[in-house]
Structures are given as structure tokens and as C-alpha cells.
Amino acid sequence: MSDADPNNEPAVIEDSTNNNNDTEETKFSWPPLESNPEVFTTYLQSIGLPTTFSIGEVFGFDEDLLAFLPQPVLGIIVCYERLIPKSEQRAQDKGRQEDYDQVDFYMHQSKVLDNACGIIACLHAVFNSPVVSVDPSSVLGKFRQDTTKSTPAEKCQALEQNTEFQNIHRTHAAKGQSAAITSGQSKVVHHFIAYVLDNKEGGGKLVELDGTKAGPVVVGDCDGDVLRGSIREVRGKLERGEISESLSMMTLNLAAGVRQWEKLSLSMTILNKTAREVANVMGGPKQRQPYLVRDCNLLSGSQ
């Protein structure tokens, strides 16, 4: 079954947040990850992301700070604290099963994948980038290949049953500057989502991908600029009181040391789609600035 076929999909996605049946002693199946680009880069490259790509960090929303990001930006990963009460989240869910076909890859998140939202956001970013190609023999490559024709619910089930992936995840969940949290859902108050461009001709629409929602959320036109489109949407969420100011934003981008984009063998279609961003690759790495957005102590799961 393909992502575009919603016929057998559940109408409501189960969310593990603050489940009353869980005790504080219950061990997480998928512990939360620290919102840390170094942790994410090491994790993703260990499971098959080519070293020509990495996870970067948005230090602030001003244009002067955005200029420090390696280009092109291929996807966005946001970590935030939701302020909408859990009882109202499903009523305000803008995700639609009818929009599964707006992206090449979308999966749901279940109670079993308790705090896997960080890696799920990464899967959404990586597998929806027309530039990134992973080794089919890697953990990422095998998961993608095995779920190519699966529905979002079937992809969720496939990750639940992938013990190799789960063991690697646990290793990286113990890394970073924060003390690892292995149990106690009330301690996890942040959630990861991804923003990507749609897969239609021209790819000009921003799409929010959150496995706890009923489907992708087509945000609207962003002129093919996933970075600034995501920033506008996050600012809107802040203004509407949907999230707190305790947030961080990371990017999927070319690694800072990659200067010759020709080595990526970009097709002309991809080149035209990202011409303005790819042209900036030759600028090379920039000096890092003090953190303005990130809190190294954010540990994020399915809150």
C-alpha cells in the first residue's frame, strides 16, 4: 500500500504523552534525544546518512544569523514545548490523510515509539529531500527500502519492530550534555517535528510532518525556502500561544566542509529547484555564534 492510500488508516493517532497507565518506573522503549546537532549528526551518520550532509543549528531568526548556516538547507527539525492542552490537541489537529501524497515519506508515531519523535523527525527530513541518497545496505537504507510501499501506520509498525535501529537509538539517547532520561514521561516536555517542501513540481509549499498527527499539514507557499518558511510558521505558533519560547531549531544541510556541490551529482531538476540555495554552498563554513535559541538541556520526546 502507498502513502497516498488512506483507506485503511486509523482516524486517530495514539499519542503516548502523559499516559496514565504508565508509571514513572516504566522504561522507555525509545528514550528521548537531546536537542543537540552534534548528537543528531553522529546518530544519523552512524545509520547511513552520507558524511556530505549534517545537522546544523539555527542560532536565531535574524537574517544576519541565518547567513551563518551552511547552504543549502534541505529540511528543518524543530523542538518545542506544546502549550495546547492534550485534551484539545486532537480537535485542533490540522493533519490530513488526504495529504499523504504531498510528500514521499510520512509515518505515524505510536505509544510503542514513545519518545522516538526526534529520529522520526529526522526520517521525515532525510527521506523527503530530493538531494539526499542513503546507502541501501545501511540501517536507514534498509528501513526506507523495506517501507517504500507501506502506509504511514505500517511504517510505524516497522520501526517498532526494528530492534537494530532501536538499539542504536538507545546508544545515542545517552549522549550529549544532559543526563539521560530512561523513564518518567512527565520529565519529557518537548516534542520534535520536521518541516520539508512538498514533492510537487516546483516544490514551493511548506509541509509540517508530525507523526502524532493524523497526517501531513500543508502550511502553504514558501517560495521553496524551507528555512524561512519554517521560521514564519514557528513565529505564528508562538504568537497564537500554541508553543512556548523554550524551543530550538536544527537544519538538515550540506556539511560545512563540502565546497563542491558537483560531487553530489545533483540532477538538473534538483539544481533548478534549489538554485539559489546551492549557489551559496561555495561560501564554505562560517564562524559559530553564541546560542540564541538552543537549550542544551532540552530532552524531547512525544510530549
Side-chain angles (χ1 to χ4, degrees), residues 39-78:
V39 171
F40 274 66
T41 296
T42 302
Y43 183 177
L44 289 173
Q45 291 181 351
S46 76
I47 58 176
L49 180 71
T51 55
T52 46
F53 300 95
S54 65
I55 301 299
E57 184 171 16
V58 178
F59 304 117
F61 293 164
D62 293 337
E63 285 296 324
D64 289 345
L65 294 170
L66 299 183
F68 286 91
L69 295 173
Q71 300 292 327
V73 173
L74 307 171
I76 296 293
I77 299 166
V78 182

Side-chain angles (χ1 to χ4, degrees), residues 149-177:
K149 296 183 179 180
S150 301
T151 66
E154 290 168 345
K155 290 183 176 72
C156 172
Q157 186 176 33
L159 189 58
E160 290 175 353
Q161 298 173 350
N162 194 324
T163 55
E164 179 184 14
F165 207 145
Q166 182 183 32
N167 289 335
I168 296 173
H169 177 91
R170 286 173 171 166
T171 297
H172 291 278
K175 296 181 178 180
Q177 301 175 30

Side-chain angles (χ1 to χ4, degrees), residues 198-265:
D198 71 332
N199 60 6
K200 305 305 178 184
E201 186 85 26
K205 291 185 177 180
L206 183 72
V207 183
E208 176 187 310
L209 300 177
D210 179 347
T212 66
K213 293 189 174 181
V217 178
V218 179
V219 177
D221 291 332
C222 67
D223 296 323
D225 190 336
V226 67
L227 172 61
R228 289 165 181 81
S230 299
I231 288 173
R232 285 194 296 271
E233 178 60 13
V234 169
R235 279 176 165 164
K237 289 179 180 290
L238 286 167
E239 293 171 359
R240 294 189 296 270
E242 297 175 9
I243 62 176
S244 77
E245 293 184 355
S246 177
L247 62 88
S248 65
M249 180 180 286
M250 297 183 289
T251 59
L252 170 65
N253 48 249
L254 289 181
V258 177
R259 291 179 178 271
Q260 299 181 17
W261 54 261
E262 294 90 345
K263 292 181 179 179
L264 298 175
S265 300

